[in-house]
Amino acid sequence: MNSHTAEELSGFQTGFTVRPAHVIAAASADDVIAAVRHAAAERLPVTVQATGHGLRGPVEGGALVSTRRMDRVSVDPVERTARVQAGVRWSQVVEAAAPHGLAPLNGSAPGVGAVSYTLGGGLGILAREFGYAADHVRSLDVVTADGRLRRVTRDSAPDLYWALLGAGHGFGVVTELEIGLVPVRRLYGGSLAFDGRQVDPAAALRAYEAWTRTVPDGLTSSLAAVPYPDLPALPPHLRGRYVLSVRVAYTGSDGERLVAPLREIGPVLSDSLREMPYTESHTIHSDPDFPHAYYGDSAVLGEFDLAAAGEVLRRTGPGSGAMTVVQINHLGGALAEAAPNSVPWREGRFLVRLLAVGERAKAREVLDPAFASLAPVTLGRAVNFAFGAGDRNAGFYDDVTRKRLAGLKSQYDPASLFPDHVRGFSG
């Protein structure tokens, strides 16, 4: 592999082998059309490496289309929309929308690719107030298996529109989206962190779950638990600590009052809760922005079993032998509202994400038993949070959604030119 190809294939996830037979560096929709037509003629499977956090798992052979050069953003402040190409990262959209008093429904990390995120649903920092990012898509430009560039809307092609928003990677290469923006200039947000050796993690979990029952639908939050190694590269207040933190994002004016019960959990290790411009919203989670190897998965919970969740913390805590990130997202609110797309599990109350840094086999030794403890209350898994777990193909969609997706897959991509990355609805 030459240095140019290696650079083209580089991404945020370094833990999986990427060895395609052909790499296409697309700079336009025409490049994508040519790549898809060539791959179809040669019977080569097509995979997309968009940008941001990139691929979910290994790639061997076939054609890989890189869209990182397709990075144009344009905002229509009157219509409150943005057009974003396939290589755009959320930080670009936030910056383009902010001068107009608008914001996209982006996630916690500014480096995430906007299009792939949205095709998987898009669980953002204001999700309980506004729903999934997929719920706000006006149109999609997609190159389908027949080599055609289609502009898909809810009216022009309702079935394909429905399938793309929730399972888009299995139906073509999306080159551009038109998305709705929301009128948000500022928010109340940040993080309250506690030392997991001073505060009982199970008690903190109980307090957080009880608190979520009291907050309005417009408040979005999550609880995270991370055992940090004792490394000089880490900030002193994190080194060697087991940190429990509650992250909050809220556009209302009474945020300080609403979070007051959280301060009763115990002594605060750090407190970044404040009023902030939306352009600073990435500081709420302060996700790492450097490439690394990681493996993980997710579980959407129909109800919250405190004993099972406590077992997850026990298995992933300082004694686990791995640096494991636990994140528990409070769902509900606008996320539970029906929408004309294939994003599943809207009845879920919480999403549990477990991510282990490092080698996959070691990670599974820690994570598999943790997920098993949640199985009795698990509805399914979230496509965007498979974290390379494509070797397991069950649970991404309910039976009705899966069967409808399978039918549409046979209609739009009968030869499976675009392998379903999670193999949840096609063979």
Side-chain angles (χ1 to χ4, degrees), residues 145-415:
D146 55 6
R148 289 177 53 197
L149 177 65
R150 306 169 186 247
R151 177 153 294 179
V152 176
T153 69
R154 182 180 178 181
D155 295 327
S156 68
D159 282 346
L160 185 55
Y161 176 89
W162 177 88
L164 286 168
L165 295 171
H169 292 292
F171 288 87
V173 182
V174 174
T175 61
E176 191 166 325
L177 295 179
E178 182 181 16
I179 59 173
L181 303 173
V182 294
V184 174
R185 291 179 180 273
R186 43 70 56 199
L187 75 163
Y188 175 85
S191 171
L192 276 179
F194 308 90
D195 188 329
R197 291 187 173 92
Q198 295 182 351
V199 173
D200 176 19
L205 192 65
R206 287 194 300 272
Y208 173 69
E209 192 276 337
W211 175 75
T212 63
R213 294 176 182 272
T214 70
V215 299
D217 285 349
L219 190 150
T220 304
S221 70
S222 63
L223 181 144
V226 185
Y228 287 95
D230 189 2
L231 296 175
L234 291 172
H237 73 282
L238 297 179
R239 247 178 249 167
R241 293 184 185 269
Y242 181 38
V243 178
L244 307 172
S245 58
V246 179
R247 288 82 67 89
V248 171
Y250 179 56
T251 62
S253 59
D254 56 342
E256 189 61 31
R257 178 186 65 81
L258 291 172
V259 303
L262 295 174
R263 302 185 189 281
E264 303 302 317
I265 289 175
V268 174
L269 184 63
S270 65
D271 179 353
S272 65
L273 288 167
R274 68 193 190 281
E275 293 282 336
M276 66 178 75
Y278 194 81
T279 51
E280 295 179 10
S281 60
H282 63 278
T283 65
I284 294 172
H285 291 73
S286 295
D287 291 326
D289 60 359
F290 53 88
H292 58 286
Y294 54 95
Y295 176 87
D297 210 338
S298 59
V300 181
L301 308 185
E303 59 183 276
F304 199 79
D305 184 325
L306 283 167
E311 179 69 7
V312 169
L313 293 188
R314 187 187 70 79
R315 289 184 175 276
T316 58
S320 69
M323 183 179 172
T324 305
V325 179
V326 177
Q327 181 164 312
I328 302 173
N329 288 78
H330 183 207
L331 304 179
L335 294 167
E337 297 175 6
N341 57 51
S342 54
V343 180
W345 314 125
R346 289 178 178 268
E347 70 272 36
R349 286 197 60 221
F350 289 88
L351 170 70
V352 176
R353 293 188 268 172
L354 306 181
L355 181 153
V357 177
E359 194 264 331
R360 177 163 59 168
K362 176 61 178 176
R364 291 198 65 159
E365 291 178 10
V366 176
L367 300 190
D368 285 358
F371 279 114
S373 68
L374 295 171
V377 292
T378 296
L379 299 173
R381 302 159 68 201
V383 172
N384 271 358
F385 304 116
F387 298 133
D391 52 343
R392 296 176 54 233
N393 57 27
F396 287 104
Y397 303 98
D398 59 85
D399 285 345
V400 172
T401 300
R402 180 179 52 79
K403 289 176 182 177
R404 183 178 175 188
L405 287 170
L408 292 169
K409 178 72 170 176
S410 66
Q411 176 183 343
Y412 285 100
D413 186 16

Side-chain angles (χ1 to χ4, degrees), residues 1-2 4-10 18-26 35 38 44 47 49 59 61-69:
M1 182 183 295
N2 60 43
H4 175 75
T5 302
E7 180 181 357
E8 199 66 44
L9 299 179
S10 64
V18 182
R19 288 194 290 256
H22 304 278
V23 178
I24 300 93
H38 175 76
L44 296 172
T47 304
Q49 176 154 314
V59 172
L64 187 146
V65 179
S66 169
T67 61
R68 67 175 64 188
R69 291 168 179 77

Side-chain angles (χ1 to χ4, degrees), residues 26 49-52 66-73 84-90 92 111-116 174-176:
Q49 176 154 314
T51 188
S66 169
T67 61
R68 67 175 64 188
R69 291 168 179 77
M70 300 172 65
D71 61 354
R72 187 176 67 247
V73 179
V84 297
Q85 289 189 311
V88 168
R89 299 173 188 245
W90 275 125
Q92 298 169 256
V112 167
V115 169
S116 289
V174 174
T175 61
E176 191 166 325

